[in-house]
């Protein structure tokens, strides 16, 4: 039985041949995500992996809806696995915002599902860090979110030479479109054409734009100039004051594909342009209102960062640490008559918080010792019986090869002293 296309198995390291996804690397990424969100005062939340289909059909935009893993459940409900977290968090905030002080700053890293064509950087499931802020309309909040995005990437060892945040503004594009007599009802259609310009053949984009009353050269010139609009200048100045100016550049080539964005939008890319977007986000001031059917109105913004492109980039830049085994101590059992005492020792050392391995069945002593070395253990312990019949423990430091014999009840203290 093979796994489904676009899905991953996560193995512990060292990885088997042809299995690129490591659970150790995943945990490393998750730890940095969680730690950086904490430093910015974000609280963790989660939601259901399965949602009513309707949550996505009119809020997320055509591209995501075409990629839904949706079905009718046994209760005749139209449901979908979550393709993104934003509608869920908007619903959760709309339901419970009264219980929280504003601004609400929340993060999560859900596993998301999109029926895409599996390719480099795109799978049918991924984990996505979501950091979102609710209840603040000032661009200072946009700067805070972008700073967090930058620091998440920096926490993994990436620098301003590795990545850049391309900053843009849907309002800037809205004004561009309006100034050329564009039909406001077709603005989203226009944004979608701009969103695809970098990947689409120029003739195709030109034709689609013409149908909307805009010329491709006009659009290209606006992107090339990328003159910061006032709301973007505020964000640039704010990030500059934090010493993060080198990580951002205004680039109207970014507009984002999702339907709900209303203001500043951005995407993180590797500087060499080799990979797909590492992260993307922006302001979506109407979504809470829409999801709550007009009951709650809160400005909102945030970003999503997937683990797939990120892991590819970290590997390429040699920023994946080596994941040594977690075993600290190996208890050697060379004399089976000492197994009961050895088990007592194993239990005692584990209860003190140390990772302990030992042989489950009678095994040759040299084999056990070799295994301790392979596991990268710090020490071996061996229960010894004296001529008088009392038991003691021989501790061997595998780095220095020094040995000491301590009474059974002093092992924990001796290990703490030696660590
Ligand atoms: P998105 O641009 O669709 O935005 O996804 C954000 C990031 O998730 C992408 O830049 C990429 O790293 C990763 N990603 C998306 N789809 C896949 C896939 N099929 N395979 C691997 N990685 C993928 C959103 O989802 C927004 N809801 C983000 C957001 C949060 N905006 C505001 N708050």
């Amino acid at each position: 039985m093979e796994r489904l296309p676009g899905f991953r198995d996560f193995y512990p390291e060292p990885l088997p041949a042809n299995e690129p996804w490591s659970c150790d690397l995943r945990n490393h990424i998750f730890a940095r995500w969680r730690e950086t969100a904490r430093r910015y005062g974000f609280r963790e939340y989660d939601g259901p992996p399965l949602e009513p289909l309707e949550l996505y059909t009119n809020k997320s935009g055509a591209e995501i809806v075409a990629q839904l893993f949706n079905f009718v459940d046994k209760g005749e409900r139209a449901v979908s696995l979550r393709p993104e977290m934003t509608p869920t968090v908007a619903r959760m905030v709309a339901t419970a915002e009264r219980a929280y002080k504003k601004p609400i700053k929340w993060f999560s890293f859900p596993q998301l599902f999109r029926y895409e064509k599996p390719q480099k950087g795109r799978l049918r499931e991924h984990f996505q860090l979501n950091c979102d802020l609710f209840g603040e309309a000032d661009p200072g909040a946009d700067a805070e979110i972008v700073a967090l995005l930058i620091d998440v990437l920096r926490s993994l060892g990436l620098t301003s030479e590795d990545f850049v945040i391309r900053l843009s503004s849907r309002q800037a594009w809205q004004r561009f479109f309006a100034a050329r007599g564009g039909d406001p009802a077709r603005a989203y259609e226009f944004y979608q054409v701009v969103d695809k310009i970098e990947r689409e053949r120029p003739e195709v984009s030109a034709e689609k734009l013409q149908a909307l009353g805009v010329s491709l050269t006009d659009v290209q010139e606006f992107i090339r100039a990328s003159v910061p609009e006032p709301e973007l200048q505020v964000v640039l100045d704010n990030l500059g004051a934090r010493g993060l100016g080198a990580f951002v550049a205004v680039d109207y080539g970014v507009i984002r594909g999702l339907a709900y964005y209303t203001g500043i939008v951005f995407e993180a890319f590797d500087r060499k342009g080799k990979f797909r977007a590492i992260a993307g986000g922006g302001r979506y001031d109407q979504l809470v209102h829409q999801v709550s059917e007009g009951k709650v109105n809160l400005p909102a913004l945030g970003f999503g960062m997937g683990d797939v492109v990120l892991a590819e980039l970290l590997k390429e830049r040699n920023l994946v640490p080596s994941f040594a085994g977690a075993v600290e101590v190996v208890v050697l059992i060379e004399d089976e008559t000492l197994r009961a005492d050895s088990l007592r020792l194993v239990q005692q050392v584990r209860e003190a918080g140390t990772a302990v391995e030992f042989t489950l069945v009678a095994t040759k002593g040299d084999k056990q010792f070799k295994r301790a070395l392979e596991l990268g253990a710090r020490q071996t312990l061996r229960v010894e019986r004296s001529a008088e019949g009392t038991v003691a423990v021989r501790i061997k430091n595998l780095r220095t090869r020094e040995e000491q014999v301590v009474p059974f009840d002093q092992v924990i203290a001796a290990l703490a002293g030696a660590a």
Side-chain angles (χ1 to χ4, degrees):
M1 278 283 265
E2 292 198 356
R3 62 186 172 235
L4 289 168
F7 286 79
R8 295 173 287 176
D9 291 324
F10 291 90
Y11 285 90
E13 305 226 4
L15 292 178
N18 302 321
E19 288 295 341
W21 295 102
S22 144
C23 214
D24 298 280
L25 176 56
R26 186 174 100 178
N27 285 340
H28 169 68
I29 290 173
F30 285 3
R32 297 285 91 72
W33 281 355
R34 188 172 267 128
E35 164 55 20
T36 314
R38 185 197 64 79
R39 283 195 277 134
Y40 274 73
F42 279 61
R43 303 297 317 279
E44 190 163 358
Y45 71 96
D46 201 357
L50 198 66
E51 289 275 20
L53 177 63
E54 218 194 337
L55 188 62
Y56 307 108
T57 41
N58 45 19
K59 276 126 204 153
S60 299
E63 196 166 310
I64 273 200
V65 170
Q67 297 169 338
L68 289 176
F69 268 94
N70 61 304
F71 56 96
V72 176
D73 77 2
K74 289 176 182 168
E76 303 294 322
R77 294 173 204 90
V79 296
S80 175
L81 285 173
R82 56 189 175 192
E84 60 157 337
M85 199 57 168
T86 315
T88 297
V89 73
R91 172 176 59 69
M92 287 172 63
V93 166
T95 307
E97 57 97 14
R98 288 219 194 110
Y100 296 94
K101 292 241 167 11
K102 314 296 176 305
I104 292 172
K105 304 201 291 183
W106 284 0
F107 79 97
S108 188
F109 29 94
Q111 191 172 22
L112 305 179
F113 304 88
R114 298 184 189 179
Y115 201 89
E116 298 207 47
K117 188 164 171 269
Q119 53 193 291
K120 191 165 178 281
R122 281 287 174 278
L123 300 172
R124 289 188 176 162
E125 55 72 27
H126 69 284
F127 289 91
Q128 193 189 82
L129 169 66
N130 277 252
C131 297
D132 291 270
L133 192 154
F134 296 84
E136 185 50 72
D138 190 271
D142 301 66
E144 176 78 349
I145 282 286
V146 173
L148 170 54
L149 169 54
I150 293 169
D151 274 340
V152 168
L153 293 172
R154 289 176 73 207
S155 77
L156 288 152
L158 295 162
T159 68
S160 59
E161 286 177 17
D162 297 307
F163 73 92
V164 62
I165 313 296
R166 297 165 63 192
L167 264 189
S168 179
S169 158
R170 277 254 170 120
Q171 287 138 309
W173 277 112
Q174 190 192 357
R175 289 191 288 264
F176 173 99
F177 192 53
R180 281 147 190 84
D183 174 0
R186 297 183 74 186
Y188 179 53
E189 210 181 311
F190 170 66
Y191 301 156
Q192 282 177 303
V193 183
V194 176
D195 182 49
K196 295 210 170 62
I197 265 180
E198 287 180 11
R199 282 164 280 155
E200 190 61 273
R201 280 184 295 127
E203 314 84 83
V204 177
S205 299
E207 199 184 309
K208 287 185 182 161
L209 287 171
Q210 206 175 10
L212 289 156
V214 183
S215 86
L216 178 61
T217 19
D218 202 1
V219 166
Q220 283 168 331
E221 181 48 32
F222 188 67
I223 295 173
R224 199 200 53 74
S226 284
V227 180
E229 294 279 325
E231 71 271 17
L232 288 177
Q233 195 57 53
V234 174
V235 175
L236 291 177
D237 292 345
N238 184 310
L239 293 169
R242 299 174 195 231
L244 298 177
F247 292 91
V248 278
V250 170
D251 183 343
Y252 291 137
V254 168
I255 191 167
R256 307 279 296 141
L258 292 159
Y260 46 67
Y261 293 114
T262 54
I264 288 174
V265 287
F266 50 86
E267 281 182 339
F269 280 91
D270 68 292
R271 287 266 184 200
K272 291 187 194 147
K274 234 177 107 176
F275 298 92
R276 302 191 56 147
I278 310 163
R283 193 171 262 288
Y284 51 97
D285 284 347
Q286 304 304 324
L287 190 63
V288 175
H289 193 252
Q290 271 179 31
V291 168
S292 66
E293 273 141 11
K295 289 192 199 78
V296 183
N297 204 355
L298 274 181
L301 71 163
F303 70 84
M305 176 189 299
D307 67 325
V308 179
V309 177
L310 184 61
E312 287 171 355
L313 180 62
L314 293 177
K315 283 181 204 168
E316 200 224 34
R317 300 292 147 93
N318 288 323
L319 288 171
V320 177
S322 67
F323 300 104
V327 171
E328 297 166 278
V329 164
V330 169
V331 171
L332 305 171
I333 309 175
E334 290 165 12
D335 174 355
E336 283 299 318
T337 67
L338 291 172
R339 182 164 285 270
D341 289 306
S342 301
L343 288 172
R344 183 157 62 91
L345 176 66
V346 166
Q347 189 65 22
Q348 187 180 314
V349 181
R350 282 180 176 164
E351 282 178 9
T354 304
V356 181
E357 222 10 313
F358 70 102
T359 175
L360 297 173
V361 294
T363 308
K364 283 207 179 95
D366 54 347
K367 223 171 146 188
Q368 292 183 49
F369 188 70
K370 203 168 147 236
R371 182 83 186 116
L373 294 176
E374 280 167 8
L375 287 168
R378 220 167 44 213
Q379 287 125 339
T380 56
L381 305 183
R382 195 169 55 203
V383 178
E384 294 181 344
R385 192 181 288 121
S386 69
E388 303 84 59
T390 57
V391 285
V393 177
R394 180 175 292 272
I395 303 176
K396 180 170 185 156
N397 182 318
L398 294 183
R399 311 248 150 84
T400 62
R401 303 279 158 145
E402 275 170 61
E403 298 193 22
Q404 63 179 128
V405 179
V406 300
F408 206 99
D409 58 5
Q410 284 170 32
V411 171
I412 303 302
L415 286 177

